[in-house]
Amino acid sequence: KQEVTQIPAALSVPEGENLVLNCSFTDSAIYNLQWFRQDPGKGLTSLLLIQSSQREQTSGRLNASLDKSSGRSTLYIAASQPGDSATYLCAVSLDKLIFGTGTRLQVFP
Amino acid sequence: GAGVSQSPSNKVTEKGKDVELRCDPISGHTALYWYRQRLGQGLEFLIYFQGNSAPDKSGLPSDRFSAERTGESVSTLTIQRTQQEDSAVYLCASSLRGEQYFGPGTRLTVT
């Protein structure tokens, strides 16, 4: 059974810091891995999708890497801003998504 | 362009009543998923539709839960004889080539 773990569970940093959020999964048989952000009381916003054949994806200040053989992904956020405050979720997929429990990020000015 | 939409955004119902939640996926997306998120917990898969294939119902928590999808269009999730533990945010997502796009969710409160 696929299990997805995210560490840390919570993170509070001053504005401007570079951050690394970690995601690990137990079964490497995945089609893709997706990173989302969830703002309080709102739905999920897709940030990055990494196909199983890819090693990384970049979008603006975000970079996600995937090491399928070791069952790990990292989300790197450069030059963090208060607007980045949210819960970040990783999810792995064969068809349905299996979600981690998230990292709650707070960036303070 | 239009994203995934869900209705209602909020629903309060009495224990024992039936509820229907609606999802309108992104036009052209062949796959549609339902998830739920109970307070303080992670997202749980409920059911998955892909084209004309039989749906994957493996995540439905009990036979009180059912879902239908009309072709590659709207889907309804029905919960019969609601219980307090059904209180959650119900999220719908659609996809075409793997990346899933989520709607804003329906917050269901069973009193």
Side-chain angles (χ1 to χ4, degrees):
Chain A
K1 179 186 173 186
Q2 179 73 269
E3 292 183 2
V4 182
T5 305
Q6 290 185 248
I7 53 172
L11 188 60
S12 183
V13 299
E15 181 176 10
E17 280 206 4
N18 300 323
L19 308 172
V20 176
L21 307 182
N22 297 291
C23 172
S24 61
F25 48 96
T26 54
D27 187 344
S28 61
I30 63 171
Y31 284 156
N32 59 55
L33 183 145
Q34 204 166 345
W35 281 94
F36 298 88
R37 69 174 279 168
Q38 185 174 33
D39 294 277
K42 298 188 178 180
L44 277 69
T45 302
S46 179
L47 298 173
L48 290 164
L49 171 75
I50 312 177
Q51 301 287 357
S52 62
S53 58
Q54 297 175 321
R55 299 285 292 188
E56 67 177 339
Q57 282 287 332
T58 298
S59 175
R61 294 182 294 108
L62 304 180
N63 175 276
S65 66
L66 174 64
D67 184 342
K68 207 171 73 158
S69 61
S70 68
R72 292 180 183 178
S73 177
T74 60
L75 179 67
Y76 177 82
I77 304 175
S80 58
Q81 302 171 357
D84 295 331
S85 299
T87 296
Y88 290 79
L89 296 164
C90 75
V92 298
S93 173
L94 270 179
D95 39 45
K96 58 184 177 279
L97 289 171
I98 307 297
F99 284 86
T101 50
T103 294
R104 190 179 308 110
L105 173 66
Q106 182 182 9
V107 182
F108 53 89
Chain B
V4 178
S5 61
Q6 293 185 245
S7 61
S9 55
N10 281 284
K11 176 73 176 178
V12 181
T13 190
E14 291 180 353
K15 178 180 172 181
K17 301 281 190 183
D18 297 351
V19 295
E20 274 193 2
L21 312 180
R22 178 186 169 108
C23 171
D24 285 89
I26 294 172
S27 178
H29 279 195
T30 55
L32 186 146
Y33 309 78
W34 285 97
Y35 299 86
R36 76 173 175 183
Q37 186 172 32
R38 290 189 275 194
L39 186 64
Q41 298 187 23
L43 280 96
E44 305 170 75
F45 164 76
L46 296 176
I47 188 168
Y48 157 50
F49 297 89
Q50 173 63 62
N52 295 320
S53 302
D56 177 352
K57 304 179 182 180
S58 60
L60 294 178
S62 78
D63 58 7
R64 296 187 295 106
F65 286 71
S66 63
E68 294 184 347
R69 186 180 187 194
T70 307
E72 292 184 353
S73 183
V74 65
S75 175
T76 55
L77 176 69
T78 302
I79 310 173
Q80 296 178 309
R81 305 180 302 281
T82 52
Q83 303 294 314
Q84 288 186 330
E85 68 258 26
D86 300 335
S87 296
V89 176
Y90 289 81
L91 291 160
C92 173
S94 70
S95 74
L96 180 59
R97 295 187 188 88
E99 186 167 8
Q100 294 192 23
Y101 296 88
F102 280 75
T106 293
R107 182 175 299 278
L108 174 66
T109 303
V110 182
T111 61

